[in-house]
Amino acid sequence: MALLDTFLRRLVRQGTLQLTDHKGDTRTFGTPTPGFPDIAVRLADGDVARFIALRPRLGAGEAFMDGRLIIERGDVMDLISLIRANAPWDKGGDLKPRGPLRRAAKAIGGRLGEFNTSSRSRRNVAHHYDLDDRLYDLFLDADKQYSCAYFTDPANTLEQAQADKKAHIAAKLALRPGQRVLDIGCGWGGMALYLNRVADVDVLGITLSQEQLKVARARAAAAGVADRVRFELIDYRSLTGQFDRIVSVGMFEHVGRPQFETFFRHCRGLLAEDGVMLLHTIGRMGVPGSTDAFTTKYIFPGGYIPALSEIVRASERSRLIAADVETLRLHYAHTLRQWYRRTVAKQAEIEALYDARFFRMWTFYLAGATAAFEHGGMCNYQVQFARNRHALPITRDYMAEAESGYRSG
């Protein structure tokens, strides 16, 4: 308890955290502060404090999943928000391992885990995306967009924000009827079907998820466009051909740093001479970092969130021009809060699909991600690349005009 006490007294200054140990002894950290949560938690056994203190993020997550860390006032979103809000990235807050040796060990371990060969990439994707499709139906929008939405108004519904996200991305692709478009990491097919519908383009979507592939193909067939919107189970490194446009949404996070240059080299090879690419990815504000242990173990094995410098540097060798860069600072926070609310509302159905431990793991993941975008160093980047400097208009006016047209139907 002494180690955990020291950590919490140093960290929790605004808002309150009441901690009760397995003997019933209670201590309170922080002070009541407007806008900060008031949380009460209980430790179920004598070893939980040490378990959490030795590796806070992974230990807290596993203790919560196993029912050893019990939240008695508030919920897991409140708990994680309280911790994160007391150490905001914008103000120099840091919850990462201290000391150069610990940081170096974490960075080296992370890089080793990011060597994603084709076979390893398939296993990593299956770990997360080949879960029961009914799980995703319970908390995503009707189009099953499992990536950051675009909130033109924070009060918008998730469905509206995801539709606006697709319009925002389509506008940056500068599409023309009849073009060939490649969607790398196509998910359940929503983006590919949207681009075909609004811009009259032919799309090939590629994925490594068997479950996503089945759904995407069924959707294309149901829409009567299977001849123009095709889906294949293939690694981007094995694909050949040429495309006028490439779009990749929420896939680059799974590439891994050792493969960044390989990714861009293949993309350049697949792009036509006047080709344009739009990369939408979760990003890391500031300098490069490392993936936390909970996410690596339970959510996205082999994944890594890139800093903007890493994205641009990796694309430079392929001589892809970063024609436009946009930082979405808060849009994923709004998205995740809606996913979290929907997940909590469907607790019974999710526990029926899996069990209570899985439900707690999933809410810990969503709550942790939300806090990272609200208070931590996470954001989203949309980077538009072109193969040559003449491929796009010389001003950004075309984006706004196209987006307005797509959004108006």
Side-chain angles (χ1 to χ4, degrees):
M1 283 300 299
L3 190 57
L4 186 59
D5 276 3
T6 300
F7 173 74
L8 292 175
R9 290 197 187 284
R10 176 178 62 84
L11 181 62
V12 182
R13 298 180 181 276
Q14 299 182 89
T16 57
L17 174 62
Q18 179 181 295
L19 177 67
T20 303
D21 66 20
H22 68 293
K23 297 178 181 178
D25 295 332
T26 298
R27 50 187 57 77
T28 300
F29 306 91
T31 57
T33 307
F36 284 75
D38 171 32
I39 310 298
V41 302
R42 179 166 55 86
L43 306 183
D45 62 71
D47 190 51
V48 182
R50 181 192 64 84
F51 186 77
I52 295 174
L54 289 178
R55 40 183 188 171
R57 178 70 188 273
L58 180 60
E62 291 184 333
F64 176 70
M65 288 164 57
D66 294 336
R68 300 172 67 201
L69 172 64
I70 302 164
I71 302 174
E72 298 186 320
R73 185 168 63 247
D75 64 7
V76 67
M77 179 70 83
D78 296 326
L79 175 60
I80 297 177
S81 293
L82 174 68
I83 300 299
R84 270 291 191 180
N86 270 277
W89 181 89
D90 316 56
K91 298 181 180 179
D94 186 9
L95 297 178
K96 295 185 177 176
R98 294 182 176 274
L101 292 179
R102 291 188 69 184
R103 286 196 296 269
K106 189 174 177 68
I108 292 170
R111 286 185 181 274
L112 292 175
E114 294 162 21
F115 279 98
N116 295 321
T117 62
S118 296
S119 59
R120 186 169 184 174
S121 292
R122 287 178 186 267
R123 290 195 302 272
N124 290 342
V125 166
H127 177 92
H128 193 87
Y129 296 101
D130 284 349
L131 295 171
D132 194 311
D133 270 348
R134 290 172 292 177
L135 168 68
Y136 295 102
D137 289 334
L138 291 173
F139 74 94
L140 297 180
D141 64 300
D143 197 41
K144 297 184 80 165
Q145 290 291 308
Y146 191 29
S147 59
C148 175
Y150 185 71
F151 286 82
T152 59
D153 183 335
N156 282 353
T157 65
L158 180 62
E159 280 71 20
Q160 181 64 57
Q162 290 293 13
D164 288 343
K165 182 267 297 290
K166 287 175 283 188
H168 196 60
I169 289 173
K172 294 183 178 185
L173 288 168
L175 298 165
R176 295 191 299 273
Q179 287 183 324
R180 294 191 69 212
V181 180
L182 172 64
D183 183 355
I184 302 178
C186 61
W188 292 276
M191 178 63 74
L193 291 165
Y194 176 85
L195 296 179
N196 167 260
R197 184 171 67 251
V198 303
D200 191 26
V201 293
D202 297 319
V203 188
L204 171 64
I206 62 173
T207 179
L208 294 179
S209 167
Q210 294 275 5
E211 295 301 315
Q212 290 184 333
L213 179 69
K214 289 189 296 186
V215 172
R217 284 179 169 174
R219 293 181 68 185
V225 296
D227 58 329
R228 300 195 64 191
V229 184
R230 298 184 299 109
F231 298 98
E232 299 293 342
L233 189 76
I234 187 171
D235 190 286
Y236 70 91
R237 289 164 286 197
S238 301
L239 187 65
T240 58
Q242 196 161 80
F243 300 85
D244 302 295
R245 300 290 186 263
I246 295 177
V247 63
S248 185
V249 180
M251 177 270 180
F252 193 68
E253 302 92 317
H254 303 285
V255 169
R257 281 173 289 187
Q259 290 78 227
F260 280 0
E261 289 189 7
T262 298
F263 175 84
F264 285 111
R265 184 171 65 251
H266 277 269
C267 286
R268 178 183 171 84
L270 292 166
L271 271 177
E273 176 60 30
D274 60 350
V276 175
M277 173 178 171
L278 194 284
L279 180 71
H280 172 113
T281 180
I282 299 173
R284 190 183 304 274
M285 294 186 286
V287 300
S290 56
T291 305
D292 68 271
F294 180 86
T295 300
T296 297
K297 182 173 181 179
Y298 290 101
I299 308 300
F300 296 117
Y304 174 73
I305 305 301
L308 182 59
S309 60
E310 293 176 297
I311 298 172
V312 175
R313 185 180 302 114
S315 69
E316 289 172 344
R317 285 186 178 274
S318 297
R319 298 202 177 185
L320 287 170
I321 301 168
D324 188 84
V325 179
E326 182 177 8
T327 303
L328 305 179
R329 293 163 289 109
L330 290 168
H331 293 266
Y332 219 160
H334 294 312
T335 306
L336 284 156
R337 280 199 172 266
Q338 295 217 29
W339 288 350
Y340 179 83
R341 284 195 292 269
R342 292 178 177 214
T343 295
V344 170
K346 299 294 185 179
Q347 178 176 354
E349 290 94 326
I350 293 173
E351 290 183 354
L353 281 176
Y354 292 97
D355 54 28
R357 187 176 189 270
F358 179 92
F359 174 79
R360 289 192 292 267
M361 178 198 75
W362 204 256
T363 54
F364 190 89
Y365 147 57
L366 293 176
T370 303
F373 283 92
E374 289 182 341
H375 307 291
M378 296 294 106
C379 65
N380 274 83
Y381 293 120
Q382 288 188 351
V383 186
Q384 180 198 59
F385 293 99
R387 270 199 61 165
N388 76 69
R389 70 194 70 196
H390 304 290
L392 292 161
I394 62 173
T395 72
R396 302 176 80 254
D397 294 350
Y398 71 95
M399 293 186 191
E401 293 169 5
E403 186 169 352
S404 177
Y406 293 142
R407 289 177 59 194
S408 67

